[in-house]
Amino acid sequence: MQAGNFDCYALCKICDEFPFPATPWPRSVRPHQKEIMWNQRNLNAPPLVTLKSTLPAREMPEMRKSLEEARKCLSVALLGPPAARISRSIARMSQQFRSTVGFKSLRKMNIALLRAKEVKIVDCVENVLGCFPTYAAESQGGARLPSRQYIEYMLLRMMGLTRILCRVVFLSKEVARFFLGTINRGHFIDLGTMILATVAEVWKHSKDLCRNTVLMYNRLFSMQRHFARTESVFLKGFSLPQRLDQWLGKEWKETLEEVTGSFTPSKPQSQFVEFSDEEEDAAGAPEETQQPVPMELDEEETGIVIDRQTLSSHTPHNIFDKKSLMKFLQDESKYRKLNDSRRLTKLVSHKKWQKFQEKLNEASKNKSKADLMLMFNANWTNLVKD
């Protein structure tokens, strides 16, 4: 074979050994892909036909009452307003938060809410309820009710809806955990508060709707034996679970459990309100730890005189947090042992200095930063006076 020319004979032999399909694999027969009926978005419903059922006349009102309750409690209308606010929030936050974990979880939750709306489980219940007669059939004959295939289709849609709602509940916790941390750090407080309120509303309604769907599924599954079957097969080897809560398993337990703990790491409450080291607010600390000590200052007091030649940063005025306080105490103890001229407690006895140190070390473990600074200033003034 020369350069630039193709060997047609060799190419044909390769094609004969490794034939390629003329058209791509269709979605329904792709290899290594298992179709799950409850997870199909475009699952075609069986024909809605009525057949003579074996439902006794005395159970007809109970069956009709159950379907009417299902039509009311399975409506996703309550999720409409918060879902709309989430969509607008995503459009507003797409530039600043596009790479954050909370924003990605919020987008996933928005997609899950759209999937829950596409299920249209209320329409299925209304179709079944519309086939029920307005009168009670006689015990000898029996009423004409929808086929069992359509009841199975309605149960399948309930299974898919509960999976979606469990995912919404899980994602709402993830979004709340992220934005709570953002608010605690003092960033985007207005936006984070609005997102938390909206997500809390979605979490509550999704949880109630999931519980109602599981309850209605278990009730309707026990009643499907009274509906007659047609000749066509709908499930095609798929078997419906007898109890939907057992089928959900771990997801059902996580959905039902109440949120008792905090979404944020366990830290003292005082640390969440201290947004900066320059500005401190003693009102943010817990009430039981707020014991401000009044500072007594004389008019003639002008502070500690420091010689310019021995100018040092070892002064009580450079203390602004716990770390600087501990460093000041260590340096002062070292200067006292060495009889250094930089020591500030030359006239203070060893016993008083030890007591002063122990009192501050104990207070640093329990008190907030603002209360610790107030206590140090008051006790330091009394120590120097004495």
Side-chain angles (χ1 to χ4, degrees):
M1 184 177 65
Q2 299 178 358
N5 298 327
F6 295 98
D7 191 347
C8 297
Y9 177 76
L11 183 63
C12 293
K13 295 293 291 181
I14 294 175
C15 294
D16 292 339
E17 294 180 3
F18 303 99
F20 295 94
T23 58
W25 289 99
R27 183 176 295 273
S28 58
V29 292
R30 284 181 181 177
H32 309 292
Q33 182 177 4
K34 183 179 179 181
E35 292 292 335
I36 305 176
M37 297 191 69
W38 60 265
N39 199 25
Q40 296 182 15
R41 293 176 57 187
N42 300 322
L43 181 64
N44 295 325
L48 184 59
V49 297
T50 56
L51 301 173
K52 191 174 182 179
S53 67
T54 59
L55 185 66
R58 63 180 180 274
E59 296 184 6
M60 185 76 68
E62 182 181 356
M63 183 69 178
R64 187 179 183 87
K65 184 179 178 180
S66 300
L67 291 173
E68 290 177 351
E69 292 179 359
R71 181 176 58 181
K72 294 179 181 178
C73 66
L74 299 184
S75 176
V76 296
L78 293 177
L79 292 174
R85 292 197 296 271
I86 288 176
S87 299
R88 298 187 185 100
S89 301
I90 290 174
R92 176 183 174 185
M93 300 160 53
S94 59
Q95 297 297 326
Q96 292 176 312
F97 294 86
R98 61 182 179 273
S99 299
T100 60
V101 178
F103 180 75
K104 293 178 181 179
S105 299
L106 193 65
R107 289 184 58 186
K108 293 177 183 178
M109 186 172 65
N110 185 40
I111 295 174
L113 290 173
L114 294 176
R115 297 290 184 269
K117 184 179 179 182
E118 292 178 0
V119 174
K120 297 180 180 180
I121 188 65
V122 177
D123 295 345
C124 299
V125 177
E126 288 181 350
N127 292 336
V128 175
L129 190 59
C131 297
F132 270 69
T134 56
Y135 61 91
E138 297 180 358
S139 303
Q140 294 82 1
R144 297 184 65 87
L145 300 178
S147 61
R148 187 180 296 186
Q149 280 83 350
Y150 197 85
I151 302 299
E152 293 172 348
Y153 169 77
M154 182 175 63
L155 296 177
L156 278 174
R157 304 308 281 177
M158 288 184 179
M159 292 173 63
L161 181 60
T162 53
R163 284 286 190 181
I164 295 174
L165 293 175
C166 289
R167 179 168 176 79
V168 171
V169 172
F170 171 77
L171 291 174
S172 62
K173 296 178 182 178
E174 293 294 322
V175 175
R177 185 177 292 109
F178 173 80
F179 282 98
L180 270 176
T182 303
I183 292 176
N184 290 333
R185 289 188 294 270
H187 302 155
F188 303 99
I189 297 179
D190 296 338
L191 179 61
T193 304
M194 185 270 295
I195 294 295
L196 283 178
T198 306
V199 169
E201 187 176 357
V202 171
W203 173 79
K204 180 180 182 303
H205 294 324
S206 300
K207 194 174 180 180
D208 295 341
L209 184 58
C210 184
R211 186 184 294 106
N212 295 336
T213 307
V214 171
L215 180 63
M216 289 301 166
Y217 177 94
N218 296 337
R219 185 182 301 179
L220 294 175
F221 183 86
S222 60
M223 297 181 179
Q224 68 170 343
R225 65 181 184 276
H226 298 295
F227 297 89
R229 290 185 178 273
T230 59
E231 296 180 356
S232 61
V233 180
F234 174 68
L235 291 180
K236 298 179 182 179
F238 183 81
S239 58
L240 296 172
Q242 294 183 0
R243 295 189 60 84
L244 192 54
D245 51 351
Q246 296 179 358
W247 178 73
L248 291 173
K250 184 179 179 181
E251 294 184 7
W252 170 248
K253 296 179 181 178
E254 293 178 354
T255 303
L256 279 185
E257 66 181 3
E258 296 291 340
V259 181
T260 56
S262 175
F263 288 105
T264 55
S266 56
K267 296 181 179 179
Q269 187 178 358
S270 59
Q271 295 187 12
F272 291 148
V273 297
E274 294 172 0
F275 301 125
S276 63
D277 293 334
E278 291 77 14
E279 297 180 3
E280 298 293 339
D281 187 7
E287 295 182 358
E288 57 271 16
T289 61
Q290 289 184 357
Q291 298 178 358
V293 180
M295 296 179 61
E296 299 179 359
L297 299 177
D298 297 336
E299 296 181 357
E300 299 179 357
E301 184 177 359
T302 59
I304 302 173
V305 180
I306 301 177
D307 189 3
R308 289 183 179 272
Q309 296 180 357
T310 60
L311 185 61
S312 173
S313 61
H314 180 62
T315 62
H317 305 288
N318 291 332
I319 299 175
F320 55 88
D321 59 359
K322 178 183 176 182
K323 184 177 180 180
S324 59
L325 175 60
M326 294 295 105
K327 185 178 183 304
F328 175 80
L329 295 178
Q330 291 176 3
D331 293 344
E332 183 64 22
S333 299
K334 182 177 66 175
Y335 296 152
R336 285 174 62 90
K337 291 180 180 179
L338 300 176
N339 291 327
D340 197 309
S341 60
R342 288 174 290 181
R343 67 185 186 278
L344 305 177
T345 58
K346 182 192 302 185
L347 303 178
V348 178
S349 63
H350 179 73
K351 184 176 180 181
K352 288 185 178 180
W353 174 248
Q354 291 294 332
K355 187 176 181 181
F356 177 75
Q357 277 187 309
E358 293 175 359
K359 189 174 183 181
L360 288 178
N361 289 329
E362 185 67 24
S364 62
K365 299 178 182 178
N366 303 324
K367 292 186 177 295
S368 63
K369 187 196 300 183
D371 291 343
L372 184 62
M373 294 300 101
L374 289 174
M375 179 180 177
F376 168 74
N377 292 328
N379 286 273
W380 176 259
T381 305
N382 296 331
L383 183 68
V384 174
K385 278 184 179 181
D386 296 341

